[in-house]
Structure formats: structure tokens, C-alpha cells
């Protein structure tokens, strides 16, 4: 695939999810669907990751017009919410219910759609978001479930009009309009979340119906400022230095009905620990301060602990490891200095052979199935994940 050379079987569910999200941002729905499905097959224990895969794949099915599968994935994702799911981002549960409602409505399951939109509306209220979107969809569901009766024609009866008599009382009743007192509504600040691949950092602004008139983005090589106008009020959503450098010329903005996506192209292809970084201090300031101020030692100790630590590290490097330690250090050096193909070969051969083979030849390892070729030591028994026994060594 274009995003990475790593086979999906050698990736974690989180890595597959990030890759699929990148395809989805580019609206490459077929590729995204394939990788979401792969992520689901290798998922192990993190419930939040499974919830995210199902919710995102539901949107993928929806975009491809497969509303039955979209509803099924969204339903399975929301069923996970019956128990506490740690690690979910703000608004993710609401979006899953929303996707279930949209898919069910398109599949003509209007009762299910209404129930999903009602759940999403409750979560929107808890998140201090306007629930008008859901109220409109609930009204559409009610219209489908209870279509209005056709009004009877007034031309079928021809009763004579009765003469109206004037009221006997001289006093007339004037209707009084009771206008509700206006309340000052608190506008909740827009929310956002982000996810990444090695090449891109993607920021999702979780506000519907935004356009270029509402969003202002100023990006520099290592700084980002995002301003959003909501209900006539301006919010500074992101402002400050980024964790690492980006290429503004290859970064882009995408406006969608339910959100806005900022796709930042990384200069250095690696995973960021977080979105925002720290302000860099001027070198002149640090040089001046270090030249004029005495060196601060912890607890006012006369010992230079920095020098002591360096001397200990130097002694450890001089030590010659023996036995298994020497072998492990050799393998660590080979792995650290190897290219990507060599590292993949070492990982796959060691893991799939049960620790009996360690190869650096990717051309050979990529074509070989060590799980079928390996044998258990005499007197012991190996089984596959499916429960099939692995042949035993007869020596």
C-alpha cells in the first residue's frame, strides 16, 4: 500500500486504524475499508480501539452506500458502551450513535434510527452541544413512522353558512401574547481531536456546517494557529508551537458536513508524542546565563553528579558481556544498525518460529511460513491458535 511498506499482518491494530483513518481522510473508502477490516481481525484486548475501528468502519460503509453493514457496525460499537470503556475521546460516543441513526434511516429502519438519534441528542446535551441536528432527524423519523393523514376536501359538503350575530356583551376579549423571557445561552467552545500516521497529523474540528468563513488557519513550519467562529463568537482553538516541523505547502484543509479536517504533512516521518510542543528558548539567553551564573548542584552537594554518571556509563560500556548477555547485545546491535527489511525479517522469523529461528534475510523470510515448519521439542506439545496440534520432534 502507498502509506507504508509494512504488511498488515506485521502491524498492530492501532497502526492499522491510523492507516485506515488516513485513507478515509483522502476519501479512499475502498482502501480504508480493507485496512479497517484487517485492524479488526488482529485486535486483541483494548476495547476503546475496537470501538473506534467499528465506528470508523461504519462511516466507511455508509460512504460506500452499504447502509445495512454501516448500521451493524455502529450498533456493535454502541453496544460496547453498555460497560465502561476507558480511553474514549470526548464526543466519540455521540458520533457512534449518530452514525447508527443515519445508517438505520437510509436502511428504512426508522424506529431504530429515532432511538439512535435520541441517544445522540442526550450525549450532545451532556457535551454542551446544540442538539438541533438530532431534533431535525427525530422529526424526520416521526414523519416516516406516522405520515400525516390526508385532509378531507371541503367541497363535499355544502352546508349553508349561518348568520353570525354580534356579541351581546360590550366588552371584547383581547388576546394577550406571553413572550418567554429571553435567556442568555452559554456557547460551548468548539472541540477537536487528532490522530496520526508517520506522514500526517490529522486534526478533526468537531463542529458541523463550518466553511472557510468560519475557520481561519495560519500555519508555519513549527507553529499552528486555528480560530473558529461559532454563533458569532470567535474562539482560539489552537495556538502555539507544534511538536515537530510540518510542510505548510503540502498540508490541506477539508470541509465536511459534520466536521473540518486539518491534515498536516510531517517533515520528519515519525510518531509525535503529542500535538503541541514547547517554545524554544534563544541560544543567546542560555549562553549568557550559563557564563554568568555558577553551576547549580542538587541539594547543594559538593559532588558533580553529572560527571559521576558519565564515568559510570563509560565503565559499563567497557565491560565485556558473557554468555547469553553477549549474544543479546550482538542481536541488539544488528537490529539497531539494520534497515527496515532486516528488522522485519528478524521480528517475523523469531516470533513465528517460536524463538527457534532468527533470520536477517527478508526475501527468504517473507515467503516462508515458520509456524507450519516448526516442531515442538520431544515430550512437549505445541498448538496453533485454532487448536490444531503442531507435529512433535521424533529425535
Amino acid at each position: 500500500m502507498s502509506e507504508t511498506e509494512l504488511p498488515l499482518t506485521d502491524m498492530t491494530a492501532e497502526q492499522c486504524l491510523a492507516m485506515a483513518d488516513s485513507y478515509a481522510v483522502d476519501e479512499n473508502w475502498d482502501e480504508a475499508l480493507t485496512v479497517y477490516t484487517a485492524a479488526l481481525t488482529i485486535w486483541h484486548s483494548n476495547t476503546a480501539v475496537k470501538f473506534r475501528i467499528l465506528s470508523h468502519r461504519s462511516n466507511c460503509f455508509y460512504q460506500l452506500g452499504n447502509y445495512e453493514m454501516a448500521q451493524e457496525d455502529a450498533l456493535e460499537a454502541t453496544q460496547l458502551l453498555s460497560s465502561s470503556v476507558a480511553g474514549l475521546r470526548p464526543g466519540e460516543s455521540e458520533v457512534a450513535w449518530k452514525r447508527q441513526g443515519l445508517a438505520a434511516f437510509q436502511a428504512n429502519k426508522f424506529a431504530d434510527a429515532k432511538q439512535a438519534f435520541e441517544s445522540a441528542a442526550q450525549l450532545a446535551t451532556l457535551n454542551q452541544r446544540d442538539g438541533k441536528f438530532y431534533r431535525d432527524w427525530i422529526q424526520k423519523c416521526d414523519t416516516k413512522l406516522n405520515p400525516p393523514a390526508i385532509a378531507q376536501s371541503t367541497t363535499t359538503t355544502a352546508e349553508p353558512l349561518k348568520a353570525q350575530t354580534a356579541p351581546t356583551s360590550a366588552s371584547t376579549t383581547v388576546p394577550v401574547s406571553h413572550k418567554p423571557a429571553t435567556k442568555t445561552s452559554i456557547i460551548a467552545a468548539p472541540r477537536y481531536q487528532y490522530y496520526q500516521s508517520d506522514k500526517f497529523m490529522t486534526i478533526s474540528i468537531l463542529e458541523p456546517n463550518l466553511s472557510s468563513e468560519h475557520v481561519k488557519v495560519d500555519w508555519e513550519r513549527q507553529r499552528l494557529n486555528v480560530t473558529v467562529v461559532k454563533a458569532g463568537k470567535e474562539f482560539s482553538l489552537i495556538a502555539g508551537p507544534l511538536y515537530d516541523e510540518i510542510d505548510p505547502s503540502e498540508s490541506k484543509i477539508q470541509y465536511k458536513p459534520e466536521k473540518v479536517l486539518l491534515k498536516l504533512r510531517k517533515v520528519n516521518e515519525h510518531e509525535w508524542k503529542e500535538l503541541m510542543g514547547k517554545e524554544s528558548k534563544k541560544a543567546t539567553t542560555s549562553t549568557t546565563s550559563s557564563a554568568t551564573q555558577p553551576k547549580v548542584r542538587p541539594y547543594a552537594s559538593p559532588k558533580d553528579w553529572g560527571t559521576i554518571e558519565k564515568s559510570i556509563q563509560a565503565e559499563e560500556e567497557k565491560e565485556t558481556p558473557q554468555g547469553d548477555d553477549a549474544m543479546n547485545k550482538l542481536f541488539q546491535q544488528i537490529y539497531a544498525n539494520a534497515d527496515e527489511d532486516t528488522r522485519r525479517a528478524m521480528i517475523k522469523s523469531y516470533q513465528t518460529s517460536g524463538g527457534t529461528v532468527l533470520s536477517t534475510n527478508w526475501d527468504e523470510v517473507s515467503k516462508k511460513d515458520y509456524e507450519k515448519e516448526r516442531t515442538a521439542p520431544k515430550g512437549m506439545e505445541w498448538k496453533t491458535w485454532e487448536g490444531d496440534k503442531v507435529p512433535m520432534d521424533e529425535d
Side-chain angles (χ1 to χ4, degrees):
M1 298 180 181
S2 57
E3 285 290 326
T4 178
E5 296 295 329
L6 250 171
L8 296 178
T9 53
D10 289 348
M11 300 173 65
T12 64
E14 290 85 348
Q15 290 172 328
C16 286
L17 175 60
M19 181 193 296
D21 286 339
S22 181
Y23 284 130
V25 168
D26 292 331
E27 299 183 357
N28 192 346
W29 303 114
D30 291 323
E31 290 287 352
L33 179 59
T34 301
V35 184
Y36 281 135
T37 304
L40 208 54
T41 58
I42 62 179
W43 169 84
H44 289 295
S45 59
N46 191 325
T47 307
V49 172
K50 182 178 182 181
F51 171 88
R52 212 161 281 138
I53 295 171
L54 289 169
S55 178
H56 293 192
R57 193 174 72 165
S58 170
N59 179 55
C60 193
F61 276 126
Y62 185 88
Q63 298 297 335
L64 292 171
N66 192 339
Y67 304 122
E68 293 284 348
M69 292 301 299
Q71 186 199 5
E72 185 177 328
D73 270 3
L75 176 61
E76 187 176 351
T78 52
Q79 285 175 344
L80 294 174
L81 300 174
S82 59
S83 59
S84 179
V85 180
L88 290 184
R89 305 186 186 106
E92 279 192 299
S93 302
E94 176 189 339
V95 171
W97 282 110
K98 171 187 172 183
R99 287 170 175 165
Q100 183 181 340
L102 292 173
F105 189 91
Q106 295 297 337
N108 296 326
K109 299 178 180 178
F110 304 117
D112 294 340
K114 179 181 178 181
Q115 183 180 1
F117 286 131
E118 288 174 345
S119 298
Q122 291 175 358
L123 291 173
T125 303
L126 293 176
N127 294 330
Q128 297 183 346
R129 291 168 53 86
D130 185 11
K132 183 179 183 303
F133 176 87
Y134 304 115
R135 291 193 296 271
D136 292 344
W137 275 101
I138 291 171
Q139 186 175 359
K140 291 179 183 179
C141 293
D142 287 335
T143 303
K144 292 290 186 179
L145 292 169
N146 303 300
I150 301 176
Q152 294 182 354
S153 175
T154 57
T155 60
T156 57
T157 58
E159 295 181 359
L161 295 175
K162 297 180 180 179
Q164 294 181 352
T165 59
T168 57
S169 175
S171 62
T172 58
T173 303
V174 179
V176 179
S177 62
H178 298 279
K179 294 183 179 180
T182 57
K183 296 182 180 180
T184 305
S185 59
I186 300 175
I187 303 173
R191 298 176 181 271
Y192 72 92
Q193 62 186 26
Y194 61 89
Y195 52 90
Q196 62 179 307
S197 64
D198 287 343
K199 293 183 179 180
F200 289 94
M201 171 64 76
T202 304
I203 303 172
S204 298
I205 302 176
L206 306 176
E207 285 294 329
N209 305 321
L210 293 180
S211 65
S212 57
E213 298 178 355
H214 305 97
V215 182
K216 181 182 179 183
V217 180
D218 295 324
W219 38 30
E220 302 174 7
R221 199 158 180 85
Q222 198 170 351
R223 191 174 187 87
L224 180 65
N225 295 316
V226 180
T227 304
V228 177
V229 177
K230 179 181 177 182
K233 185 176 180 180
E234 187 174 283
F235 294 89
S236 179
L237 194 61
I238 302 173
L242 295 169
Y243 182 80
D244 203 352
E245 294 183 350
I246 63 169
D247 187 349
S249 62
E250 295 189 18
S251 303
K252 58 184 179 180
I253 308 176
Q254 290 184 339
Y255 295 94
K256 295 181 176 291
E258 71 279 4
K259 59 186 174 182
V260 178
L261 298 176
L262 309 180
K263 197 169 184 183
L264 313 181
R265 180 64 164 90
K266 298 179 181 178
V267 173
N268 304 310
E269 297 183 3
H270 66 93
E271 184 177 354
W272 293 7
K273 295 182 179 179
E274 53 191 350
L275 176 62
M276 308 305 291
K278 297 180 180 179
E279 294 281 4
S280 58
K281 297 180 181 179
K282 295 182 179 180
T284 54
T285 305
S286 59
T287 305
T288 306
S289 61
S290 62
T292 56
Q293 297 180 1
K295 187 174 182 179
V296 179
R297 305 183 188 276
Y299 308 108
S301 171
K303 295 183 179 180
D304 189 343
W305 294 106
T307 303
I308 294 174
E309 182 180 3
K310 290 180 180 178
S311 64
I312 293 174
Q313 291 177 351
E315 291 178 2
E316 290 177 350
E317 291 176 357
K318 291 179 181 178
E319 293 180 358
T320 303
Q322 303 293 332
D324 292 340
D325 292 339
M327 187 65 67
N328 290 334
K329 186 175 182 180
L330 175 62
F331 291 153
Q332 290 172 3
Q333 291 175 349
I334 294 174
Y335 185 85
N337 299 325
D339 56 17
E340 289 299 322
D341 285 343
T342 303
R343 291 183 179 183
R344 277 186 284 177
M346 295 176 70
I347 293 173
K348 181 179 178 181
S349 61
Y350 189 79
Q351 289 182 345
T352 58
S353 68
T356 60
V357 177
L358 182 62
S359 174
T360 58
N361 187 350
W362 176 244
D363 292 334
E364 175 187 347
V365 173
S366 61
K367 303 172 184 176
K368 210 163 186 179
D369 190 348
Y370 290 98
E371 290 186 341
K372 292 183 178 179
E373 296 180 4
R374 69 184 183 183
T375 57
K378 189 174 181 180
M380 299 186 71
E381 185 179 83
W382 266 338
K383 289 186 179 180
T384 65
W385 288 107
E386 292 78 14
D388 300 328
K389 292 184 179 181
V390 178
M392 288 176 46
D393 193 351
E394 299 296 338
D395 296 337

